[in-house]
Amino acid sequence: MYCCYADPEALVDPDSVYPIRPECKEDAPPSRFKPMPGKTLSARRWNASFSPDGHLDIAAVLQRIQRGGVHPTIKGAVWEFLLSCYDPNTTFDQRDELRQSRRLEYERLKSKCKEMEPSVGSGVVITMPLIQENGRPVETFRSNNSPEKVPETEQPEDVNGNAEVSVADAKDPTQTEKEEPLIKSEPVDEAVVQWKLSLHQIGLDVVRTDRSLVYYEDPLNRARLWDLLAIYSWIDRDIGYCQGMSDLCSPISILLENEADAFWCFERLMRRLRGNFITTATSIGVRSELMILSNIIKAVDPKLHEHIENLDGGEYLFAFRMLMLMWSMEYNPNLFAIYEASNGSSGNIDGVDAGPTDGNTLKKYGRFEKRYLQAGQGGRVNHPPLSIFLVASVLESRNRYLMKDAKGLDDVVKILNDITGNLDAKQACKEALKIHKKYLNKVKVS
């Protein structure tokens, strides 16, 4: 005889963890995630995955996640490992030491940004536009703690409106040496100028990010998101800030209680995604992924690809927003070492050796990454990411509608927009893995 006790976490409504504002409940889609006792990675199972000194059995964790997902109450802690903030093969003490050093570095960065823009860390979100005055930025709105704009020095005028010039100020035409100006202008730091200009767009995006959540009713939480994005924009000057980053950062800001921890988790995420935001005069960063998406659909569903091409959509620009905002990736055990070797600088990981793998290491990869290794494409981390196959799965799920009802690109966009709030993420990932397997087989044969 035995007693069966229900897992108390299985009784938690995921929607109660991140509550929706009452006036938005009708429009907000309900969560599709349902905790499954014995399958979902719960807090109890998560804690049991650590050895007494802190080593994490990442293979067992991945297996659990693949079976039933991650319970919302521990997502923040789990994401820190999945996004390679920490190495599972370290102790509690080693990770605590690294966490504290990162928190100190974040405070240093925040102080530096506050020197340049007093609104950083003040609980104020800048949303008013910046205007150019004589080629230099002048803010039309600043935090209450920031000094007012000091007007430029003007020459006094006489009663007739003519500028007065004293005898002492008159230049001697015979004088040849260079006189020092009475008022010296400070040199303009273009990096600071560009960073300050980005704060306006950050402010605009923050106030409209995840507006249906109760969490963002608190202005301090909006200001926290603004700080995270502003500081990242400063450290990654090649990218700065681009629209879409607020949507990527928002869930991390919500999941991780400590602001510094949230920042470094977001920074790790951007290591994988920042290439999408690189824009030059002739190309946009996500265009290469759109080309890969085109090749994938052409390989696995040539009829759909031909139909899209006939609609003049061969460049797949209609999938731009999905690729920018729908991110999905699996754990790669080598990335932590790669990130640490880069000395904390933000940068792409394309072309970086992922390192050798043996039988035990192979168990620490997700099924997606493992297939690349088995197909002989391991050792590099610049292969097509899972997110592209996820978008491909969305297109395949709408195959019938696209083939039958899409008479133009506007129809394609409308059909794809209908998935907003209705996407079954778990099913989409399953289909993405099927497409990935089919694609690898096609490429291998060709």
Side-chain angles (χ1 to χ4, degrees), residues 411-445:
D411 295 329
V412 173
V413 173
K414 182 179 183 302
I415 291 170
L416 296 179
N417 282 344
D418 289 341
I419 70 168
T420 303
N422 298 310
L423 179 66
D424 187 332
K426 185 176 181 180
Q427 184 61 33
C429 286
K430 285 184 177 180
E431 294 302 317
L433 291 174
K434 290 180 181 178
I435 293 175
H436 179 240
K437 184 177 182 180
K438 185 177 180 180
Y439 174 73
L440 287 180
N441 290 335
K442 291 277 188 179
V443 172
K444 186 176 182 181
V445 170

Side-chain angles (χ1 to χ4, degrees), residues 242-260:
C242 301
Q243 283 187 284
M245 288 185 182
S246 61
D247 296 289
L248 299 173
C249 187
S250 175
I252 294 176
S253 179
I254 296 171
L255 289 172
L256 291 165
E257 182 177 354
N258 184 276
E259 183 179 320

Side-chain angles (χ1 to χ4, degrees), residues 25-78:
K25 285 188 176 180
E26 290 186 3
D27 298 326
S31 172
R32 290 180 177 270
F33 175 76
K34 302 297 180 185
M36 296 179 289
K39 295 183 178 181
T40 296
L41 180 64
S42 63
R44 180 180 62 83
R45 181 66 64 173
W46 169 250
N47 293 329
S49 300
F50 291 90
S51 67
D53 65 348
H55 289 83
L56 176 63
D57 186 352
I58 190 66
V61 167
L62 292 175
Q63 185 179 28
R64 194 82 176 188
I65 294 174
Q66 291 166 359
R67 292 175 63 193
V70 181
H71 197 275
T73 56
I74 58 169
K75 269 190 176 180
V78 176

Side-chain angles (χ1 to χ4, degrees), residues 242-347:
C242 301
Q243 283 187 284
M245 288 185 182
S246 61
D247 296 289
L248 299 173
C249 187
S250 175
I252 294 176
S253 179
I254 296 171
L255 289 172
L256 291 165
E257 182 177 354
N258 184 276
E259 183 179 320
D261 296 345
F263 175 80
W264 293 114
C265 195
F266 174 63
E267 190 268 347
R268 287 305 197 256
L269 173 63
M270 287 302 300
R271 298 283 189 106
R272 301 286 289 270
L273 302 179
R274 68 188 295 276
N276 289 349
F277 297 95
I278 297 176
T279 303
T280 66
T282 58
S283 66
I284 54 177
V286 77
R287 188 178 295 276
S288 62
E289 295 203 347
L290 291 172
M291 292 177 61
I292 295 173
L293 175 62
S294 173
N295 291 333
I296 291 172
I297 297 298
K298 183 178 181 179
V300 302
D301 194 341
K303 289 185 178 180
L304 177 59
H305 177 75
E306 182 181 2
H307 179 62
I308 291 175
E309 279 200 322
N310 290 337
L311 298 178
D312 199 24
E315 293 186 341
Y316 282 65
L317 291 175
F318 55 82
F320 176 89
R321 181 171 176 79
M322 285 193 291
L323 277 177
M324 293 293 283
L325 300 182
M326 289 174 55
W327 63 274
S328 178
M329 59 188 66
E330 284 195 318
Y331 181 72
N332 185 321
N334 301 293
L335 290 184
F336 174 81
I338 293 173
Y339 292 154
E340 292 301 298
S342 65
N343 296 321
S345 61
S346 293

Side-chain angles (χ1 to χ4, degrees), residues 15-29:
D15 290 335
S16 68
V17 180
Y18 313 111
I20 304 295
R21 293 164 55 189
E23 65 272 22
C24 299
K25 285 188 176 180
E26 290 186 3
D27 298 326

